[in-house]
Amino acid sequence: MTHTFLAFLGACTLIAASPGPSSVLIIRHSLQSRRAGFLAVLGNETGVFIWGLAAAFGLTGLLAASRLAYDIMRVVGAVVLVGFGIQAIRSARRDGLTGFTTAETGTANAEPEPGSGRRAYRAALTLNLANPKAAVFAMSFLPQFVPHGAPQLPTMVALATIWAVYETGYYSLYVWFVGRMRAVLSRAKVRRRLEQTSGGIMVALGIRLAVES
């Protein structure tokens, strides 16, 4: 059991470390404020836990078995990704037109907008739930770590909980790092470049998701 648990945590680390739209979105919201970044993490992990529960109850198997349902979710996920990407690019352009810098530090006005934390949570949750790959992955990932003879449903629910909690801690390091680098990352030019880059990555991932078979 201990060996299985350690192997599960190792797999969770590899999954979290793999670049993807969720990590891009978390970093982007962390640039707004530490609170927005943490709430983006919580939104993403709420989605992870929901897909884990769906896998435990066998619901994601229905998605995998229905090509039409999968394709519908794939297109919806692509639209969500491209939408978030365009939003980031437009934000970078808007900051370039309206943002101001101080003569002493050259940093942008980084005052968090009211409600930005709630928007970050909803955005991360929506992005995760709109991704059919996350659903199918949860279905194929969690059963591999159910020990032989263990009751499948409660064990998979426990694994889904551990997965979400572990990733919360892992992605919180991203938020912490961005906060530590705020003096550099909040500079107007740097922030615009990061917004443009994150937006471009999300648009590219959205297009890739839309055209893949």
Side-chain angles (χ1 to χ4, degrees):
M1 186 66 184
T2 302
H3 181 270
T4 301
F5 181 71
L6 292 177
F8 179 70
L9 291 183
C12 289
T13 302
L14 292 175
I15 294 166
S18 301
S22 293
S23 55
V24 173
L25 192 68
I26 288 168
I27 292 172
R28 178 173 180 258
H29 283 292
S30 297
L31 290 170
Q32 298 175 2
S33 69
R34 186 168 292 179
R35 180 174 181 271
F38 278 124
L39 284 172
V41 171
L42 291 179
N44 183 69
E45 298 317 311
T46 300
V48 167
F49 182 65
I50 289 173
W51 284 131
L53 288 181
F57 285 95
L59 301 179
T60 51
L62 300 176
L63 177 63
S66 173
R67 184 67 190 182
L68 177 60
Y70 182 86
D71 284 342
I72 290 174
M73 274 201 67
R74 180 171 56 81
V75 172
V76 171
V79 171
V80 169
L81 265 172
V82 172
F84 283 147
I86 292 174
Q87 185 181 55
I89 294 171
R90 290 179 62 186
S91 176
R93 183 175 300 175
R94 183 173 62 250
D95 289 346
L97 293 174
T98 63
F100 62 86
T101 59
T102 63
E104 296 81 10
T105 64
T107 56
N109 179 20
E111 192 70 27
E113 299 177 6
S116 61
R118 291 191 297 272
R119 287 196 295 272
Y121 179 88
R122 289 196 300 267
L125 176 60
T126 300
L127 181 62
N128 194 290
L129 293 182
N131 185 0
K133 287 185 174 181
V136 175
F137 181 79
M139 180 188 68
S140 60
F141 173 62
L142 293 179
Q144 298 181 49
F145 296 94
V146 177
H148 180 70
Q152 182 157 329
L153 178 59
T155 303
M156 286 184 63
V157 171
L159 289 174
T161 304
I162 294 169
W163 185 14
V165 171
Y166 182 81
E167 282 198 351
T168 298
Y170 184 92
Y171 284 126
S172 293
L173 294 176
Y174 286 29
V175 181
W176 175 83
F177 178 77
V178 172
R180 294 287 293 180
M181 296 291 292
R182 187 169 300 279
V184 175
L185 298 178
S186 62
R187 292 180 182 274
K189 289 184 179 180
V190 174
R191 179 161 177 164
R192 284 199 300 272
R193 289 296 184 188
L194 289 172
E195 289 277 19
Q196 291 167 348
T197 301
S198 64
I201 291 173
M202 284 190 282
V203 169
L205 289 172
I207 293 173
R208 178 183 175 185
L209 183 62
V211 300
E212 71 180 6
S213 58

